Amino acid sequence: MFCGLCRKHGVKSRGNQVSFFYGTDNFRTEFLNAHHLSEAHAKASLMEATSGSPVNRATTEFMVMTMSKVTLGRIENLFRSCHAIAKTGRPLKDFIWMCKLDDMKGVDIGPVFRTNKSARTFTYFIAEVERRNLREKLEQSKFFSVLSDGITDSSTEEAELVYVQFACAGKVHCQIVGVQTVEKKDPLEIRNAIEKTLERNLQLKLSNQDWAKKLVGFGSDGAPGSEGENNGVAMLFREIQPRALTVYCFAHHLELSYRAVFQSVPLYNDVRGLLHSIYYFYHSSPVHKSSLITAFKGLHLRPVLPSRVGGRRWLQGLQAALQNFLRGYPAIVQQLHSAVEDRNDTSHQKANELLEFLLQADIVKFVHFLVDVINVLSILSRVNQNRNSSIADVFASLESTLEMLRMYKTRPGPKERQVDSATHFHGNCLGGKGNISDVRSTVLTHLVKRLQGCFRDASQDVVKATVIGSFQLWPTKINQEFGEKEVSILTAHYEPLLEAANVEIDEVDTEWSMLKLEIYARFQNICKLTWDFVNSVYLHKYPNILTLVDLVLTLPASSAEAERGFSQMKRAKSQMRATIKAESMTDLLIIQLNSPDINNFDPRKAIHLWNTRTPSSTGDTRPNSSCSSNSESHYESD
């Protein structure tokens, strides 16, 4: 005896179940019932319901109409549960108790597909739908850039997160492709990881001529001190496409540049250590904290307690700690004086040490200098973290930042000027000479040099020319010459890529001038315009210049999306409390970052994709292509 449906569709039972695919002479009722309720038979039944559907865009709708409403409803509920688990960063093992909860609530999810393995399989196909959507978008776009950023997880395993950025009709998309582990961080390993991720998840080979003609940029973490490594990776992309612009992700570069400059400055280490000590002095003692609040009230000041230095948002944390230190300085000094005079206080020795540091002139002046520098860098960081910032916005902010830092080399900043020649601060006499001019000059010189490295491998003329892509940088009133030189530079640099995108090069300059005239004549507030809106109005009239703008918007500038990917990845690993392989993490990140939210998720495409595969067994539902994340064993460590 055998099961006709299972044999027809090649579905084999696994494990200890009686095989109704090859046939059996066991006619006992419990075995028949067990097979009828098995995942193998359920899979074969679903395949039978959709076996006559054509392979086209109507297939999904056909499946919905032909499949049993009860069966489809059950599968939809299961897929929605898996999507919600992945979207919220929960471990997939939650799937089993969610099924039990559905039973208690009276939600019909059926007796099958209630295992961790089914959850992993469903999660794969939900992610696969998003991968296919991303590939379709890339095929339709005329240009794209690749972004890669490295991370070391809790198990000290090196990994690369790979993103693609592209613009279609003025709308910018930056989406994750996947994560890939690397055995060691050298150019060859990183190059192979990037290529493997693109090929496995998108079937995209960078060496393919069609894709090479679309590649316009490459973004890397660009850590200071590893320029050779990152230059080696950048060389890969320049070999594939010599016109590709290399830009190093700014958030990572800014943090590492700051640390590289300040870690060798003894005065900075003294200030940082002082901030740490003051924070823990009050944080660890409710008595001292209460006494400090009393001191604030006695001075008629709003209580501002010392804050912690460090954390994930290191720049904002340091800025807040410095500002709180200066605001609370008079109350802190007064409270420490009281603690020193109180011999019964066991911490009076520590209070005396802190007080000696607080009353040093060079400490006070360096803190004010540091606030000036951090305030400038925080503005630059804020622009970089904004998802709407283009490469032109980041470059313009960088130029302003460098100019301000050069200015501080010749004259003190606004905060430092308040104590430049002061011998007292808030009525407290300061000791020491307080001359920090040499330290200031050294710090600013090295910081300027480090920050310039973000665009070290990019053509400065091309980067400056991207100003046409940011309405924030357009003149408030029409300037006939604005953008003419920039358009010529961009057209000359990217001419082969523009020609491959069917852009009429000779018409670009004229279209730019006419588009600019119409925009200024029609709109009053230029800085509030967006390129997707401009495309909706003028694409039919000026297709060539707007394609060039899409190219500019495709160039990588910010690493905000990669930072978000890192946060999601760390959260997922901490939730699972186990080692999770790259393929499994890729599926989870794609669902978290690329898929619709829970309210807008439609599981039918994923169900159709899962149901139309032709497996040899119920457990082998992943594709057989070597270019796909396809092995069930990839998930065995989840």
Side-chain angles (χ1 to χ4, degrees), residues 1-2 18-20 23-32:
M1 180 180 65
F2 61 87
V18 174
S19 175
F20 283 81
T24 179
D25 56 2
N26 192 331
F27 296 92
R28 293 176 63 182
T29 304
E30 57 265 33
F31 288 113
L32 295 174

Side-chain angles (χ1 to χ4, degrees), residues 460-504:
Q460 295 294 304
D461 291 337
V462 173
V463 175
K464 290 179 181 178
T466 60
V467 67
I468 67 169
S470 175
F471 285 115
Q472 303 289 330
L473 303 176
W474 279 37
T476 54
K477 295 183 179 180
I478 189 168
N479 180 346
Q480 298 290 347
E481 297 181 355
F482 170 69
E484 292 181 349
K485 178 182 177 183
E486 287 78 6
V487 168
S488 298
I489 291 173
L490 292 170
T491 302
H493 182 80
Y494 287 109
E495 183 174 356
L497 285 81
L498 293 171
E499 289 179 344
N502 298 319
V503 173
E504 297 292 339

Side-chain angles (χ1 to χ4, degrees), residues 187-202:
L188 182 61
E189 287 291 332
I190 296 174
R191 181 200 69 184
N192 291 339
I194 295 172
E195 286 186 321
K196 188 175 181 179
T197 303
L198 292 169
E199 187 173 348
R200 168 184 289 155
N201 295 301
L202 299 179

Side-chain angles (χ1 to χ4, degrees), residues 7 25 152 159 161 191 209 214 235 262 298 342 396-397 423 469 497 506 508 529 556 562 581:
R7 179 173 289 188
D25 56 2
T152 303
L161 260 69
R191 181 200 69 184
Q209 189 66 19
K214 292 185 176 185
M235 282 294 295
F262 280 96
D342 185 3
S397 299
T423 57
L497 285 81
D506 295 335
V508 172
L529 286 177
K581 293 192 176 182

Side-chain angles (χ1 to χ4, degrees), residues 16 58 62 102 213 220 234 368 424 439 445 483 583 586 597:
N16 295 323
F62 183 87
D102 284 339
K213 290 179 180 178
S220 169
H368 283 78
H424 290 73
V439 175
T445 298
E583 293 81 3
T586 292
D597 59 33

Side-chain angles (χ1 to χ4, degrees), residues 351-421:
N352 188 53
E353 293 175 2
L354 293 176
L355 191 59
E356 289 180 1
F357 272 104
L358 285 171
L359 297 178
Q360 290 182 18
D362 55 349
I363 292 289
V364 172
K365 291 183 178 181
F366 189 79
V367 168
H368 283 78
F369 161 73
L370 202 54
V371 170
D372 286 330
V373 173
I374 294 298
N375 286 344
V376 173
L377 295 181
S378 65
I379 295 173
L380 178 60
S381 177
R382 195 157 57 240
V383 173
N384 172 74
Q385 293 297 325
N386 187 340
R387 292 180 179 176
N388 296 322
S389 295
S390 66
I391 186 173
D393 297 318
V394 174
F395 186 75
S397 299
L398 176 62
E399 291 288 283
S400 300
T401 299
L402 294 175
E403 188 61 31
M404 286 296 298
L405 296 178
R406 293 189 187 102
M407 187 186 303
Y408 287 166
K409 290 179 66 175
T410 59
R411 59 191 294 265
K415 286 291 185 181
E416 190 183 356
R417 285 198 295 270
Q418 298 176 8
V419 295
D420 187 30
S421 57

Side-chain angles (χ1 to χ4, degrees), residues 498-514:
L498 293 171
E499 289 179 344
N502 298 319
V503 173
E504 297 292 339
I505 302 295
D506 295 335
E507 298 181 17
V508 172
D509 292 318
T510 303
E511 288 188 9
W512 166 253
S513 299
M514 294 185 67

Side-chain angles (χ1 to χ4, degrees), residues 129-197:
V129 169
E130 298 303 324
R131 280 189 281 266
R132 294 188 175 202
N133 290 340
L134 178 56
R135 179 178 170 82
E136 288 179 6
K137 292 177 183 177
L138 279 176
E139 288 177 339
Q140 294 171 5
S141 66
K142 296 181 178 180
F143 313 105
F144 78 101
S145 293
V146 176
L147 292 85
S148 173
D149 216 343
I151 185 175
T152 303
D153 65 14
S154 57
S155 62
T156 68
E157 188 177 48
E158 300 284 352
E160 287 290 319
L161 260 69
V162 181
Y163 284 74
V164 289
Q165 180 168 314
F166 54 97
C168 295
K171 188 172 181 60
V172 181
H173 304 268
C174 185
Q175 294 187 302
I176 189 170
V177 178
V179 57
Q180 179 65 42
T181 56
V182 292
E183 294 183 1
K184 55 182 179 179
K185 290 207 85 174
D186 63 42
L188 182 61
E189 287 291 332
I190 296 174
R191 181 200 69 184
N192 291 339
I194 295 172
E195 286 186 321
K196 188 175 181 179
T197 303

